[in-house]
Amino acid sequence: VITMRDLKRHYSMGEETVKALDGVDLEFLKNDYAAIMGPSGSGKSTLMNIIGCLDTPTSGTYILNGQNVAEMDDDELARVRNREIGFVFQTFNLLPRINCLRNVELPLIYAGVNPREREERATEALNRVGLGDRITHKPTELSGGQIQRVAIARALINNPSIILADEPTGNLDTATSQDIMEIFSDLSKAGNTIILITHEEDIALYTRRIIRLRDGRIESDKKQ
Amino acid sequence: VITMRDLKRHYSMGEETVKALDGVDLEFLKNDYAAIMGPSGSGKSTLMNIIGCLDTPTSGTYILNGQNVAEMDDDELARVRNREIGFVFQTFNLLPRINCLRNVELPLIYAGVNPREREERATEALNRVGLGDRITHKPTELSGGQIQRVAIARALINNPSIILADEPTGNLDTATSQDIMEIFSDLSKAGNTIILITHEEDIALYTRRIIRLRDGRIESDKKQ
Ligand SMILES: Nc1ncnc2c1ncn2[C@@H]1O[C@H](COP(=O)(O)OP(=O)(O)OP(=O)(O)O)[C@@H](O)[C@H]1O
Ligand SMILES: Nc1ncnc2c1ncn2[C@@H]1O[C@H](COP(=O)(O)OP(=O)(O)OP(=O)(O)O)[C@@H](O)[C@H]1O
Ligand SMILES: [Mg+2]
Ligand SMILES: [Mg+2]
């Protein structure tokens, strides 16, 4: 469902070029469940942003569901981002001035879902990540791990077929992390494609494949 | 050096009261090296913000270096925050429009250090966390773990005697986390007071005392 050939992402900073990705070849099948690991700065989030159609490569090819992403127009890209891909960001990116129920409803508003169904589904999603009693809180009125869970609920609310999560348990204690990983495992059993970035080996053990990056390239790619 | 008696921090949200801290008794000695652990939402960051004089308790006493913090005036509080305490925030809080060298220099600017010494010390601090080649990058041009390391460098630059770090390795791979924990271990050997929040048991093992919170109260407090 995802094919990437010789993908590069370079940033030119004055005289220097930062090679965030430096030639990545990667394929994901429809029901893949993979963890991306690697040192800080090795290119994991950059790779994830390209997969999620939030960034474009400097060179190389990215084919998503049979279509070359470089040739998609803005409408097609918007549809992919809103309907087919759910993204949990490393820095959460919630809207600070609305409460977490509204934050989780946002993708449903873009999808044209009616208000009553929106509220029901968003409430259920927040209950599922253990935040049923924080629905009216704004992000500034939540703990770090609670903000992270709102971001997860928001990413999953549209039932996207591809789920990309960048350090989804980075701020969570062990017990809460296990709850979140069970949600991902259920989604994987339901047939979705799941790609996680994590620096914790315990979290990577939940997945079926571990891809390790180093200096913008793939160092290893093993099924487990 | 730190004494807290029956500390409470309540938030009133309409009809409900959120009891973020619900009666905490805690003491830290001058050279303590402690980890604070506990479930997401159990009050760790709230406790840390009160210790760091960034938030005031709803009730209870907090005595820092022999002084009752509730009785300090604004100048004394500012001096404590800028000179005596170094804070690594769970959400980093870097200024996005200046590069990371300038971000690390900020506490030195407030301390009135001259420009050339500022630049030398900030450069050295960034080298020590492995970011010598990222000095001109702004936070938006850094990876999550790199942003985290800039926040750490900034917190340590004034040589504060009390270091408070909220999930300092949350976005770091194992090798980089070890580098950071070595910096904290050196600072502990140099006589500083260090209090870390972490959800990772491996990180807590570097410290000499583990305090576990649950529902705004201390569940256990053990030397190790
Ligand atoms: N401004 C606020 N208004 C209302 N409730 C708040 C506010 N800030 C925090 N809370 C609540 O206080 C509780 C404790 O928050 P705190 O940030 O201290 O938790 P934490 O232990 O650091 O959690 P985490 O591990 O997720 O970072 C949480 O349940 C949170 O929802
Ligand atoms: N806008 C940018 N301009 C210049 N360099 C950038 C930019 N964004 C990222 N980089 C650099 O690209 C490299 C890869 O960044 P990326 O965020 O993908 O790393 P990462 O593997 O996710 O790291 P972490 O584990 O710390 O989150 C880093 O060295 C970073 O400094
Ligand atoms: Mg990253
Ligand atoms: Mg916290």
CSV table of all heavy atoms in Angstrom, one decimal, chain B residues 126-167:
chain,number,residue,atom,x,y,z
B,126,LEU,N,25.7,23.4,24.3
B,126,LEU,CA,25.1,22.6,23.2
B,126,LEU,C,26.0,21.5,22.7
B,126,LEU,O,25.5,20.4,22.3
B,126,LEU,CB,24.7,23.6,22.1
B,126,LEU,CG,23.5,24.4,22.3
B,126,LEU,CD1,23.4,25.6,21.4
B,126,LEU,CD2,22.2,23.6,22.2
B,127,ASN,N,27.3,21.7,22.8
B,127,ASN,CA,28.2,20.7,22.4
B,127,ASN,C,28.0,19.5,23.4
B,127,ASN,O,28.1,18.3,23.0
B,127,ASN,CB,29.7,21.2,22.5
B,127,ASN,CG,30.1,21.8,21.2
B,127,ASN,OD1,29.8,21.3,20.1
B,127,ASN,ND2,30.7,23.0,21.3
B,128,ARG,N,27.9,19.8,24.7
B,128,ARG,CA,27.8,18.8,25.7
B,128,ARG,C,26.5,17.9,25.5
B,128,ARG,O,26.6,16.7,25.9
B,128,ARG,CB,27.8,19.4,27.1
B,128,ARG,CG,28.3,18.4,28.1
B,128,ARG,CD,28.6,19.0,29.5
B,128,ARG,NE,28.1,20.4,29.6
B,128,ARG,CZ,27.5,20.9,30.7
B,128,ARG,NH1,27.3,20.1,31.7
B,128,ARG,NH2,27.1,22.2,30.7
B,129,VAL,N,25.5,18.4,24.9
B,129,VAL,CA,24.3,17.6,24.7
B,129,VAL,C,24.3,17.1,23.2
B,129,VAL,O,23.3,16.6,22.7
B,129,VAL,CB,23.0,18.3,25.0
B,129,VAL,CG1,22.9,18.6,26.5
B,129,VAL,CG2,22.8,19.6,24.2
B,130,GLY,N,25.4,17.2,22.5
B,130,GLY,CA,25.6,16.6,21.2
B,130,GLY,C,24.9,17.4,20.1
B,130,GLY,O,24.6,16.9,19.0
B,131,LEU,N,24.8,18.7,20.3
B,131,LEU,CA,24.1,19.6,19.2
B,131,LEU,C,25.0,20.6,18.7
B,131,LEU,O,24.6,21.7,18.2
B,131,LEU,CB,22.8,20.2,19.8
B,131,LEU,CG,21.7,19.2,20.1
B,131,LEU,CD1,20.6,19.9,20.8
B,131,LEU,CD2,21.3,18.5,18.9
B,132,GLY,N,26.3,20.4,18.7
B,132,GLY,CA,27.3,21.4,18.3
B,132,GLY,C,27.1,21.8,16.8
B,132,GLY,O,27.4,22.9,16.4
B,133,ASP,N,26.5,20.8,16.0
B,133,ASP,CA,26.3,21.1,14.6
B,133,ASP,C,24.9,21.6,14.3
B,133,ASP,O,24.5,21.6,13.1
B,133,ASP,CB,26.6,19.8,13.8
B,133,ASP,CG,25.8,18.7,14.2
B,133,ASP,OD1,25.0,18.8,15.2
B,133,ASP,OD2,25.8,17.6,13.5
B,134,ARG,N,24.2,22.0,15.3
B,134,ARG,CA,22.8,22.4,15.1
B,134,ARG,C,22.6,23.8,15.7
B,134,ARG,O,21.4,24.3,15.9
B,134,ARG,CB,21.8,21.5,15.8
B,134,ARG,CG,21.7,20.1,15.1
B,134,ARG,CD,20.9,20.2,13.8
B,134,ARG,NE,20.7,19.0,13.1
B,134,ARG,CZ,21.6,18.5,12.2
B,134,ARG,NH1,22.7,19.2,11.9
B,134,ARG,NH2,21.4,17.4,11.5
B,135,ILE,N,23.7,24.5,15.9
B,135,ILE,CA,23.6,25.8,16.7
B,135,ILE,C,22.8,26.9,16.1
B,135,ILE,O,22.1,27.6,16.7
B,135,ILE,CB,25.0,26.3,17.0
B,135,ILE,CG1,25.7,25.4,18.0
B,135,ILE,CG2,25.1,27.7,17.5
B,135,ILE,CD1,27.1,25.8,18.4
B,136,THR,N,22.8,26.9,14.7
B,136,THR,CA,22.0,28.0,14.0
B,136,THR,C,20.6,27.6,13.7
B,136,THR,O,19.8,28.4,13.2
B,136,THR,CB,22.7,28.4,12.7
B,136,THR,OG1,22.8,27.2,11.9
B,136,THR,CG2,24.1,28.9,13.0
B,137,HIS,N,20.2,26.3,14.0
B,137,HIS,CA,18.8,25.9,13.7
B,137,HIS,C,17.8,26.5,14.7
B,137,HIS,O,18.1,26.6,15.9
B,137,HIS,CB,18.7,24.3,13.8
B,137,HIS,CG,19.4,23.6,12.7
B,137,HIS,ND1,18.8,22.6,12.0
B,137,HIS,CD2,20.6,23.7,12.2
B,137,HIS,CE1,19.6,22.1,11.1
B,137,HIS,NE2,20.7,22.8,11.2
B,138,LYS,N,16.6,26.8,14.2
B,138,LYS,CA,15.6,27.2,15.1
B,138,LYS,C,14.8,25.9,15.5
B,138,LYS,O,15.0,24.9,15.0
B,138,LYS,CB,14.6,28.1,14.4
B,138,LYS,CG,15.2,29.4,13.9
B,138,LYS,CD,14.1,30.4,13.4
B,138,LYS,CE,14.8,31.7,12.9
B,138,LYS,NZ,15.6,31.4,11.6
B,139,PRO,N,14.0,26.1,16.6
B,139,PRO,CA,13.3,24.9,17.1
B,139,PRO,C,12.5,24.1,16.0
B,139,PRO,O,12.4,22.9,16.0
B,139,PRO,CB,12.4,25.4,18.2
B,139,PRO,CG,13.2,26.6,18.7
B,139,PRO,CD,13.9,27.2,17.5
B,140,THR,N,11.9,24.9,15.1
B,140,THR,CA,11.2,24.2,14.0
B,140,THR,C,12.1,23.5,13.0
B,140,THR,O,11.6,22.7,12.2
B,140,THR,CB,10.4,25.3,13.2
B,140,THR,OG1,11.3,26.3,12.9
B,140,THR,CG2,9.2,25.8,13.9
B,141,GLU,N,13.4,23.7,13.1
B,141,GLU,CA,14.3,23.0,12.3
B,141,GLU,C,15.1,21.9,13.0
B,141,GLU,O,16.2,21.5,12.6
B,141,GLU,CB,15.3,24.0,11.6
B,141,GLU,CG,14.6,25.0,10.8
B,141,GLU,CD,15.4,26.3,10.5
B,141,GLU,OE1,16.4,26.5,11.2
B,141,GLU,OE2,15.1,26.9,9.5
B,142,LEU,N,14.5,21.4,14.1
B,142,LEU,CA,15.1,20.4,14.9
B,142,LEU,C,14.2,19.2,15.1
B,142,LEU,O,13.0,19.4,15.0
B,142,LEU,CB,15.5,21.0,16.3
B,142,LEU,CG,16.5,22.1,16.4
B,142,LEU,CD1,16.5,22.6,17.8
B,142,LEU,CD2,17.9,21.6,16.0
B,143,SER,N,14.8,18.1,15.3
B,143,SER,CA,14.0,16.9,15.7
B,143,SER,C,13.5,17.0,17.1
B,143,SER,O,14.0,17.8,17.9
B,143,SER,CB,14.8,15.6,15.5
B,143,SER,OG,15.7,15.5,16.7
B,144,GLY,N,12.5,16.2,17.5
B,144,GLY,CA,11.9,16.3,18.8
B,144,GLY,C,12.9,16.1,19.9
B,144,GLY,O,12.9,16.8,20.9
B,145,GLY,N,13.8,15.1,19.7
B,145,GLY,CA,14.8,14.8,20.7
B,145,GLY,C,15.8,15.9,20.8
B,145,GLY,O,16.5,16.2,21.8
B,146,GLN,N,16.1,16.6,19.7
B,146,GLN,CA,17.0,17.7,19.7
B,146,GLN,C,16.4,18.9,20.4
B,146,GLN,O,17.1,19.6,21.2
B,146,GLN,CB,17.4,18.1,18.2
B,146,GLN,CG,18.3,17.0,17.5
B,146,GLN,CD,18.4,17.2,16.0
B,146,GLN,OE1,17.6,18.0,15.4
B,146,GLN,NE2,19.3,16.5,15.4
B,147,ILE,N,15.1,19.2,20.2
B,147,ILE,CA,14.5,20.3,20.9
B,147,ILE,C,14.6,20.0,22.4
B,147,ILE,O,14.9,20.9,23.3
B,147,ILE,CB,13.0,20.3,20.5
B,147,ILE,CG1,12.9,20.8,19.1
B,147,ILE,CG2,12.2,21.3,21.4
B,147,ILE,CD1,11.4,20.7,18.5
B,148,GLN,N,14.4,18.7,22.8
B,148,GLN,CA,14.5,18.3,24.2
B,148,GLN,C,15.9,18.6,24.8
B,148,GLN,O,16.0,19.1,25.9
B,148,GLN,CB,14.1,16.9,24.4
B,148,GLN,CG,14.0,16.4,25.8
B,148,GLN,CD,13.1,15.2,26.0
B,148,GLN,OE1,13.0,14.3,25.1
B,148,GLN,NE2,12.4,15.2,27.1
B,149,ARG,N,16.9,18.3,24.0
B,149,ARG,CA,18.2,18.5,24.5
B,149,ARG,C,18.6,20.0,24.6
B,149,ARG,O,19.3,20.4,25.5
B,149,ARG,CB,19.2,17.8,23.6
B,149,ARG,CG,19.2,16.3,23.8
B,149,ARG,CD,20.2,15.6,23.0
B,149,ARG,NE,19.6,15.2,21.7
B,149,ARG,CZ,20.4,14.9,20.6
B,149,ARG,NH1,21.7,15.0,20.6
B,149,ARG,NH2,19.8,14.6,19.5
B,150,VAL,N,18.0,20.9,23.7
B,150,VAL,CA,18.2,22.3,23.8
B,150,VAL,C,17.6,22.8,25.1
B,150,VAL,O,18.2,23.6,25.9
B,150,VAL,CB,17.6,23.1,22.6
B,150,VAL,CG1,17.7,24.6,22.8
B,150,VAL,CG2,18.3,22.7,21.3
B,151,ALA,N,16.4,22.3,25.4
B,151,ALA,CA,15.7,22.7,26.7
B,151,ALA,C,16.6,22.3,27.9
B,151,ALA,O,16.6,23.0,28.9
B,151,ALA,CB,14.3,22.0,26.8
B,152,ILE,N,17.2,21.1,27.8
B,152,ILE,CA,18.1,20.7,28.9
B,152,ILE,C,19.3,21.6,29.0
B,152,ILE,O,19.7,22.1,30.1
B,152,ILE,CB,18.5,19.2,28.7
B,152,ILE,CG1,17.3,18.3,28.8
B,152,ILE,CG2,19.7,18.8,29.6
B,152,ILE,CD1,17.6,16.9,28.3
B,153,ALA,N,19.9,21.9,27.9
B,153,ALA,CA,21.1,22.8,27.9
B,153,ALA,C,20.7,24.2,28.5
B,153,ALA,O,21.5,24.7,29.3
B,153,ALA,CB,21.7,23.0,26.5
B,154,ARG,N,19.6,24.7,28.1
B,154,ARG,CA,19.1,26.0,28.6
B,154,ARG,C,18.9,25.9,30.1
B,154,ARG,O,19.3,26.9,30.8
B,154,ARG,CB,17.8,26.4,27.9
B,154,ARG,CG,17.3,27.8,28.4
B,154,ARG,CD,16.0,28.1,27.8
B,154,ARG,NE,15.0,27.2,28.2
B,154,ARG,CZ,13.7,27.3,27.9
B,154,ARG,NH1,13.3,28.2,27.1
B,154,ARG,NH2,12.8,26.4,28.3
B,155,ALA,N,18.4,24.8,30.6
B,155,ALA,CA,18.1,24.7,32.1
B,155,ALA,C,19.3,24.7,32.9
B,155,ALA,O,19.4,25.2,34.1
B,155,ALA,CB,17.2,23.5,32.3
B,156,LEU,N,20.4,24.2,32.3
B,156,LEU,CA,21.6,24.0,33.1
B,156,LEU,C,22.6,25.1,33.0
B,156,LEU,O,23.6,25.2,33.7
B,156,LEU,CB,22.3,22.7,32.6
B,156,LEU,CG,21.5,21.4,32.7
B,156,LEU,CD1,22.3,20.2,32.3
B,156,LEU,CD2,20.9,21.2,34.1
B,157,ILE,N,22.4,26.0,32.0
B,157,ILE,CA,23.4,27.0,31.7
B,157,ILE,C,23.8,27.9,32.8
B,157,ILE,O,25.0,28.4,32.9
B,157,ILE,CB,23.0,27.8,30.4
B,157,ILE,CG1,24.1,28.6,29.8
B,157,ILE,CG2,21.9,28.8,30.8
B,157,ILE,CD1,25.0,27.7,29.0
B,158,ASN,N,22.9,28.3,33.7
B,158,ASN,CA,23.3,29.2,34.8
B,158,ASN,C,23.8,28.4,36.0
B,158,ASN,O,23.9,29.0,37.1
B,158,ASN,CB,22.0,29.9,35.3
B,158,ASN,CG,22.0,31.3,34.9
B,158,ASN,OD1,23.0,31.9,34.6
B,158,ASN,ND2,20.8,31.9,34.8
B,159,ASN,N,24.2,27.2,35.9
B,159,ASN,CA,24.7,26.4,37.0
B,159,ASN,C,23.7,26.5,38.2
B,159,ASN,O,24.2,26.8,39.3
B,159,ASN,CB,26.1,26.8,37.4
B,159,ASN,CG,27.1,26.6,36.3
B,159,ASN,OD1,27.1,25.6,35.6
B,159,ASN,ND2,27.9,27.6,36.1
B,160,PRO,N,22.4,26.2,38.0
B,160,PRO,CA,21.5,26.3,39.2
B,160,PRO,C,21.8,25.2,40.2
B,160,PRO,O,22.2,24.1,39.8
B,160,PRO,CB,20.1,26.1,38.5
B,160,PRO,CG,20.4,25.2,37.4
B,160,PRO,CD,21.8,25.6,36.8
B,161,SER,N,21.5,25.4,41.5
B,161,SER,CA,21.8,24.4,42.5
B,161,SER,C,20.7,23.4,42.5
B,161,SER,O,20.9,22.3,43.0
B,161,SER,CB,22.0,25.0,43.8
B,161,SER,OG,20.9,25.8,44.2
B,162,ILE,N,19.5,23.8,42.1
B,162,ILE,CA,18.4,22.8,42.1
B,162,ILE,C,18.0,22.6,40.6
B,162,ILE,O,17.7,23.6,39.9
B,162,ILE,CB,17.2,23.4,42.9
B,162,ILE,CG1,17.6,23.6,44.3
B,162,ILE,CG2,16.0,22.4,42.8
B,162,ILE,CD1,16.5,24.3,45.1
B,163,ILE,N,18.0,21.3,40.2
B,163,ILE,CA,17.6,21.0,38.8
B,163,ILE,C,16.3,20.2,38.8
B,163,ILE,O,16.2,19.2,39.4
B,163,ILE,CB,18.7,20.3,38.1
B,163,ILE,CG1,19.9,21.2,37.9
B,163,ILE,CG2,18.3,19.8,36.7
B,163,ILE,CD1,21.2,20.5,38.0
B,164,LEU,N,15.3,20.7,38.1
B,164,LEU,CA,14.0,20.1,38.0
B,164,LEU,C,13.8,19.7,36.5
B,164,LEU,O,13.8,20.5,35.7
B,164,LEU,CB,12.9,21.0,38.4
B,164,LEU,CG,13.1,21.6,39.8
B,164,LEU,CD1,11.9,22.6,40.1
B,164,LEU,CD2,13.2,20.6,40.9
B,165,ALA,N,13.6,18.4,36.2
B,165,ALA,CA,13.5,18.0,34.8
B,165,ALA,C,12.3,17.1,34.7
B,165,ALA,O,12.2,16.0,35.3
B,165,ALA,CB,14.8,17.3,34.4
B,166,ASP,N,11.3,17.5,33.8
B,166,ASP,CA,10.1,16.8,33.6
B,166,ASP,C,10.2,16.0,32.4
B,166,ASP,O,10.1,16.5,31.2
B,166,ASP,CB,8.9,17.9,33.5
B,166,ASP,CG,7.6,17.2,33.7
B,166,ASP,OD1,7.4,16.0,33.6
B,166,ASP,OD2,6.6,18.0,34.0
B,167,GLU,N,10.3,14.6,32.5
B,167,GLU,CA,10.5,13.7,31.4
B,167,GLU,C,11.6,14.1,30.5
B,167,GLU,O,11.4,14.3,29.3
B,167,GLU,CB,9.2,13.6,30.6
B,167,GLU,CG,8.0,13.0,31.3
B,167,GLU,CD,8.1,11.5,31.5
B,167,GLU,OE1,9.0,10.8,31.0
B,167,GLU,OE2,7.2,11.0,32.2
